[in-house]
């Protein structure tokens, strides 16, 4: 039996992928980035007392990771579990705590949880990410009881500098292909960014047909498309107003166990 589900998620592609990134303008590297997750106030990372780390856009591109889970698993104190290939359930664990003892923020907005408290959005298209802030340890006083293990904050791309285009193409095993493109920058008091990405994986059969005659031997494919945009106007040194949107749509196929 073959089923199809629709969900708001992002693609997971096999680790054996080759990423070719194209950037029209090189971005300067941040030596001492500013973080907001540790105290909810902007401050240099070198002055943060809590155990925190930042993954910049430059590091994301150099890593050639194909998913958020594959990217942050390299950080200290971070583990994840995945129950299959692309489109399968993924859970994050900080400092040995349960997956429900973790808060994930997207541009400061808390990600949804399911009925047992686990995150429903634990993957995010890397093409949309500007940087990731990982805060380890109990910060429940700031973020609520779910933040016993820590906080992962994903900050989407922000237009800055001379307007320029960017993009990437990926290819790998099992029919894995991906493409992303975007354009962003700043002009006066306005900043903007618009990006699109699509990933496809031919997948593999989740059940072995040699073990059961009733097994469907087809490949369980996965496809995801995402589009995001952001427009902001700087009113003062401490205030900005703007509009942003993000849409992620994925289709995952799997076999019934019956």
């Amino acid at each position: 039996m073959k089923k199809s589900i629709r969900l708001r998620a992002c693609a997971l592609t096999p680790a054996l992928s080759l990423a070719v990134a194209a950037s029209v303008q090189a971005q300067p590297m941040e030596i001492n980035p500013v973080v907001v997750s540790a105290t909810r106030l902007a401050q240099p990372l070198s002055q943060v007392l809590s155990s925190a780390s930042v993954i910049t856009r430059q590091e994301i591109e150099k890593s050639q990771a194909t998913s958020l889970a594959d990217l942050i698993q390299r950080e200290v104190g971070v583990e994840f579990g995945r129950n299959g290939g692309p489109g399968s359930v993924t859970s994050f664990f900080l400092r040995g705590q349960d997956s429900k003892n973790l808060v994930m923020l997207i541009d400061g907005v808390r990600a949804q949880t399911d009925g047992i408290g686990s995150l429903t959005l634990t993957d995010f298209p890397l093409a949309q990410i500007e940087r990731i802030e990982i805060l380890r340890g109990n910060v429940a006083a700031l973020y609520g009881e779910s933040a016993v293990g820590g906080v992962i904050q994903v900050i989407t791309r922000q237009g800055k500098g001379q307007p320029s285009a960017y993009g990437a193409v990926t290819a790998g095993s099992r029919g894995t292909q991906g493409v992303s493109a975007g354009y962003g920058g700043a002009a006066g008091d306005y900043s903007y960014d618009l990006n699109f990405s699509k990933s496809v994986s031919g997948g593999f059969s989740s059940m072995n047909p040699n073990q059961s005659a009733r097994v469907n031997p087809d490949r369980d494919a996965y496809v995801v498309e995402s589009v995001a945009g952001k427009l902001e106007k700087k009113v003062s040194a401490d205030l900005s107003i703007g509009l942003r949107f993000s849409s992620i749509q994925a289709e995952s196929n799997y076999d019934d166990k019956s």
Side-chain angles (χ1 to χ4, degrees):
M1 179 178 180
K2 184 176 181 179
K3 297 183 179 180
S4 178
I5 58 175
R6 310 290 293 187
L7 68 159
R8 298 183 66 83
C10 71
L12 294 174
T13 54
L16 297 178
S17 295
L18 175 63
V20 181
S23 178
V24 174
Q25 181 178 5
Q27 298 179 356
M29 180 175 294
E30 292 183 273
I31 303 300
N32 189 22
V34 175
V35 298
V36 296
S37 299
T39 61
R40 290 202 172 190
L41 296 174
Q43 62 182 146
L45 181 60
S46 60
Q47 298 180 12
V48 175
L49 298 179
S50 305
S51 177
S53 60
V54 177
I55 304 175
T56 64
R57 183 65 219 175
Q58 293 83 1
E59 293 173 334
I60 294 174
E61 293 174 352
K62 290 180 180 179
S63 69
Q64 296 190 8
T66 56
S67 70
L68 180 60
D70 295 327
L71 176 65
I72 68 173
Q73 70 167 331
R74 312 173 188 189
E75 297 298 312
V76 176
V78 178
E79 298 178 359
F80 81 94
R82 189 160 54 200
N83 67 355
S88 60
V89 177
T90 304
S91 300
F92 291 135
F93 309 92
L94 285 181
R95 288 197 165 180
Q97 292 289 331
D98 291 340
S99 60
K100 62 183 179 181
N101 294 332
L102 165 69
V103 170
M104 176 174 283
L105 304 174
I106 309 296
D107 286 335
V109 179
R110 189 164 179 165
Q112 295 180 340
T113 58
D114 59 18
I116 61 175
S118 298
L119 294 168
T120 58
L121 182 60
T122 52
D123 293 285
F124 201 81
L126 297 184
Q128 294 187 16
I129 299 177
E130 178 70 24
R131 73 178 189 272
I132 301 172
E133 298 178 6
I134 302 175
L135 180 60
R136 308 170 188 84
N138 190 348
V139 286
L142 289 175
Y143 293 96
E145 60 181 355
S146 297
V148 175
V151 174
I152 298 176
Q153 176 155 212
V154 176
I155 300 173
T156 57
R157 280 185 181 266
Q158 300 174 343
K160 53 186 177 181
Q162 185 70 22
S164 60
Y166 56 87
V169 176
T170 61
S173 60
R174 303 187 185 278
T176 300
Q177 301 176 13
V179 61
S180 64
Y183 188 85
D189 294 333
Y190 290 90
S191 62
Y192 56 90
D193 188 272
L194 177 66
N195 62 78
F196 165 82
S197 66
K198 181 177 181 178
S199 297
V200 178
S201 175
F204 54 90
S205 179
S206 60
M207 304 178 70
N208 189 349
N210 295 327
Q211 296 179 355
S212 174
R214 296 184 298 175
V215 168
N216 186 351
D218 73 322
R219 295 181 177 181
D220 299 318
Y222 184 64
V223 58
V224 60
E225 295 181 349
S226 68
V227 60
K230 180 184 297 185
L231 174 64
E232 291 186 354
K233 176 178 172 53
K234 190 174 183 179
V235 179
S236 65
D238 301 321
L239 177 63
S240 296
I241 59 175
L243 175 68
R244 65 185 63 184
F245 69 90
S246 177
S247 175
I248 306 169
Q249 188 169 8
E251 182 175 349
S252 178
N253 299 324
Y254 63 94
D255 295 330
D256 196 337
K257 294 182 179 180
S258 60

